[in-house]
Amino acid sequence: MVAPLITALAVLGGLGSFTTVRELAEPHFKGLAWIVPVGMDLGILILLAWDLLMEYLDLPWPVLRWVAWAYVGGTVLVNVSAARGQLAGSVMYAAMPVLFITVVEGVRHLIRRWVGLASGRRMERVPAARWLLAPVSSLLLWRRMVLWHVTAYQDGLGLEYRHLLAVSRLQEEYGRWAWRWDAPLAERLSLRRLPTDGDADDLESASSPGAGEDELLGAARRIRRQARRQGVRFTRDYLGDQLRDMGYPVANTRVRRLLAVLRDDSAQGGEA
């Protein structure tokens, strides 16, 4: 609805100044004088349309607008000079170009608000190279940026990294797939909220290699001694069950590593 009105306004403005500019250009261009008003009006439209497109793509180049304004100013001066100093004529000649520029600036502001440039809410795109090299993870990254309205691509990468850290910690504690069912509901729901910087520090410290290994290894050695005193077969399942009963939510992969360390101790003649 707005675009046809703007086009009509531009056409009326061009027709209004066409005759005046052509008459002033005839002494210099003879029969081709009509090229001057057509070229100026068409150039103004092209420059302003190009400027609006660059604004929409978040690639603004103010030179386009400045040159268009300069052409509009030149058209106004030419038309005002044709009024021969009459105030009413000068105002009428200048009214149409000023109105057109005002409408174009309104459209520019509308575009900036629409795509989030004026309010700083425009979402950065995920680079095409990342889509090509990692399409699935790029889709998940884009989805989280949209859901949490993360506008900066680097912030989106940080959010994705924290999510992966949280998932890896749950996999370490409850198993690669079992964490989806065995992990407490509160920890699973925490993956669906927007993490903070404090969450990232906690996750990194909790997920760092060797976190709590000494304490866990000591508990495993006590369980092995107890099993030998009671004559119970010391297996991976037994060790895992005992550790979990003691309050250590360990995954089977971690239990296997502990069992391998204990066997190395026995092979080297260490603590039995």
Side-chain angles (χ1 to χ4, degrees), residues 19-94:
T19 303
T20 303
V21 176
R22 186 191 61 183
E23 291 177 354
L24 292 176
E26 281 182 352
H28 306 283
F29 292 87
K30 306 300 180 182
L32 297 177
W34 61 271
I35 294 178
V36 177
V38 172
M40 292 182 65
D41 292 338
L42 188 60
I44 291 171
L45 292 176
I46 292 175
L47 289 173
L48 291 176
W50 191 2
D51 178 53
L52 292 176
L53 176 61
M54 297 288 283
E55 198 78 55
Y56 175 76
L57 297 177
D58 195 14
L59 300 170
W61 194 36
V63 175
L64 296 173
R65 193 188 336 176
W66 297 340
V67 174
W69 283 1
Y71 269 89
V72 172
T75 303
V76 172
L77 288 177
V78 171
N79 282 274
V80 169
S81 64
R84 302 184 185 282
Q86 296 181 4
L87 179 60
S90 300
V91 171
M92 286 188 292
Y93 278 123

Side-chain angles (χ1 to χ4, degrees), residues 123 141-150:
M123 183 176 298
L141 171 62
W142 173 82
R143 177 178 179 271
R144 292 192 178 94
M145 289 178 65
V146 173
L147 289 177
W148 294 112
H149 199 71
V150 179

Side-chain angles (χ1 to χ4, degrees), residues 169-170 173-174 178-191 249:
R169 181 176 63 83
L170 294 178
E173 293 183 2
Y174 302 102
W179 70 270
R180 299 179 181 272
W181 302 275
D182 297 343
L185 179 61
E187 294 192 26
R188 282 181 282 145
L189 290 178
S190 66
L191 298 176

